[in-house]
Amino acid sequence: MPQKALVVSLVLASMVVGTGYLLSADNRFGFSWDTETQANEGRQKSPSLGTTPKATWATAGLQQKPPSDNPVGFMLAKVADQYAQSVRYPPWSVPLTEAQAAGYRGNHYEPVVLPLENGGQFTVTLDKFRFTRGEDILVVASLQGPQVMGYSLQATLEHPESREAAESAALEQDGQTGYYQGSLTTDQEPGEYRLIVEATVDGKPVRHASSLTIEPYLGDFEGIEDTYLSNNNLVIPVTFSPQASGFYALSAQLYNGQQPVAQLQAEKRLDRTSGTVSLKAHGTVLANKSFNGKFQLRNLQIRQLPANPGDRTHYAFGPDDGYDFEPPDLDDLKDTPAVNPESEQRAALLRQLADKF
């Protein structure tokens, strides 16, 4: 009995440790099935950028032994491998594949298709789903199939809770494209709204519903300052003039031509003057790689963090074309893992537990 109890205790402890890591904030990388799903949604699977040294404290010896036949040991070994890879990168600078880059786009509206009888489709498209107060919402709709349609469609912006209409407009059919088009204003209070597009199909009303948000005006992006190297980072200062003081979180994607390089993020308190938020690309995503020409900072998104619990997070976005810049000489950057003593201890503990099975 004592021996059996010891084995059960070890299994339970191992499962708790493994599950704790999977749910921890340090697990910044998706699971293998998450990565595969992102790649399928992007309709292509991109290889990891560049190559990384095989001999580091985190990766040395990981492939020296075959995987354990014990399921708990195999799980712990898998977690140890993934953790050893994830701690190579700081949370504010992680490598980016093409599929991940598509998933990180912060203001992309995916057209919603409503199926109709006899293989027909009712589709509504917007250029984005977060609109700054004062912008026009361009609505484009299409009806396909053997059905008999009406000559116009009606678009209504309504409050999701009360279902009261805040704005409405007719969508007229374009004689050349066949699409129905129209626009709504966003002179409403910031918040979440439902977009209802109504059509008449075979003499019956059909309603197409989707969601969007109206954001308050947060301020203006004013460009980027000269980039430089510091502490094994490429520092990219982004200037933003906020409408109100507060804490802001900035994120963007670093590209070299059409090649995604890294997802970057930073947080800072800004006052009601032109402020600078410095994004940093760590050496682990830039060193020992071949880059040509200028870099680009794309898909800039800034969030005004809630001042009080329960407040909404507000969003604003940089220019569609992003910013181009000429980087300094990157030869001084090193592919040195961004680790800390606590991460080393966790990786060692996971490896020791895996070796016991």
Side-chain angles (χ1 to χ4, degrees):
M1 277 304 285
Q3 184 177 3
K4 183 177 180 181
L6 178 60
V7 172
V8 172
S9 300
L10 285 174
V11 171
L12 291 176
S14 302
M15 294 178 67
V16 169
V17 172
T19 305
Y21 165 68
L22 295 176
L23 299 178
S24 71
D26 293 288
N27 181 17
R28 299 185 297 268
F29 282 72
F31 305 104
S32 58
W33 53 86
D34 289 336
T35 304
E36 183 178 356
T37 301
Q38 291 179 352
N40 290 335
E41 292 175 351
R43 298 183 180 178
Q44 57 184 342
K45 186 174 181 181
S46 302
S48 299
L49 296 176
T51 58
T52 55
K54 296 182 180 179
T56 65
W57 69 266
T59 59
L62 294 185
Q63 304 299 328
Q64 293 180 0
K65 297 195 305 182
S68 172
D69 293 333
N70 186 289
V72 177
F74 178 80
M75 179 195 72
L76 287 173
K78 186 69 173 179
V79 170
D81 291 349
Q82 292 184 349
Y83 186 78
Q85 287 297 321
S86 68
V87 297
R88 295 192 71 252
Y89 309 101
W92 35 262
S93 173
V94 295
L96 196 62
T97 66
E98 291 184 10
Q100 290 169 337
Y104 278 133
R105 286 182 296 176
N107 201 16
H108 174 71
Y109 179 88
E110 192 68 30
V112 179
V113 179
L114 177 66
L116 302 176
E117 295 181 359
N118 300 320
Q121 290 184 337
F122 185 8
T123 305
V124 172
T125 304
L126 305 175
D127 58 345
K128 51 191 174 183
F129 74 92
R130 296 189 189 276
F131 294 84
T132 301
R133 189 176 186 179
E135 289 183 318
D136 287 337
I137 303 173
L138 176 62
V139 183
V140 179
S142 66
L143 284 163
Q144 298 175 336
Q147 292 84 359
V148 178
M149 322 325 180
Y151 290 103
S152 66
L153 281 69
Q154 187 76 16
T156 303
L157 195 66
E158 68 175 26
H159 299 278
E161 296 180 357
S162 65
R163 299 295 178 89
E164 294 181 357
E167 180 79 15
S168 62
L171 306 184
E172 302 293 340
Q173 189 174 26
D174 186 283
Q176 296 181 344
T177 64
Y179 293 113
Y180 294 82
Q181 300 182 24
S183 62
L184 299 166
T185 63
T186 58
D187 295 328
Q188 314 294 330
E189 286 297 319
E192 297 182 358
Y193 290 83
R194 278 164 46 96
L195 176 66
I196 307 298
V197 181
E198 296 180 285
T200 301
V201 179
D202 290 338
K204 301 177 182 179
V206 178
R207 288 167 55 91
H208 186 297
S210 54
S211 301
L212 59 84
T213 63
I214 297 177
E215 302 291 341
Y217 170 72
L218 296 186
D220 295 311
F221 284 91
E222 299 179 350
I224 60 177
E225 300 175 359
D226 292 338
T227 59
Y228 59 93
L229 301 184
S230 176
N231 296 326
N232 201 32
N233 295 292
L234 170 62
V235 182
I236 310 169
V238 180
T239 56
F240 180 77
S241 179
Q243 179 75 2
S245 300
F247 286 95
Y248 291 83
L250 174 65
S251 65
Q253 296 175 358
L254 181 65
Y255 272 74
N256 180 237
Q258 298 302 314
Q259 177 188 14
V261 178
Q263 178 76 16
L264 310 178
Q265 61 180 6
E267 294 184 10
K268 186 178 180 181
R269 176 175 174 81
L270 299 176
D271 297 323
R272 293 188 59 183
T273 57
S274 180
T276 301
V277 182
S278 293
L279 296 173
K280 296 184 290 185
H282 193 257
T284 48
V285 299
L286 294 174
N288 304 323
K289 297 178 176 65
S290 178
F291 298 110
N292 297 314
K294 294 183 177 181
F295 279 79
Q296 298 85 36
L297 208 56
R298 303 179 186 175
N299 300 318
L300 288 93
Q301 172 184 278
I302 195 164
R303 294 177 291 131
Q304 184 183 32
L305 303 179
N308 301 300
D311 290 350
R312 293 183 67 246
T313 298
H314 299 304
Y315 296 78
F317 300 88
D320 294 337
D321 295 335
Y323 299 112
D324 294 348
F325 65 93
E326 192 75 43
D329 189 354
L330 304 179
D331 289 343
D332 290 337
L333 295 177
K334 296 178 175 57
D335 188 8
T336 303
V339 298
N340 55 59
E342 184 177 343
S343 297
E344 293 186 28
Q345 294 171 5
R346 289 176 179 174
L349 175 61
L350 287 170
R351 175 54 54 190
Q352 290 173 5
L353 288 173
D355 290 342
K356 292 183 180 297
F357 291 89

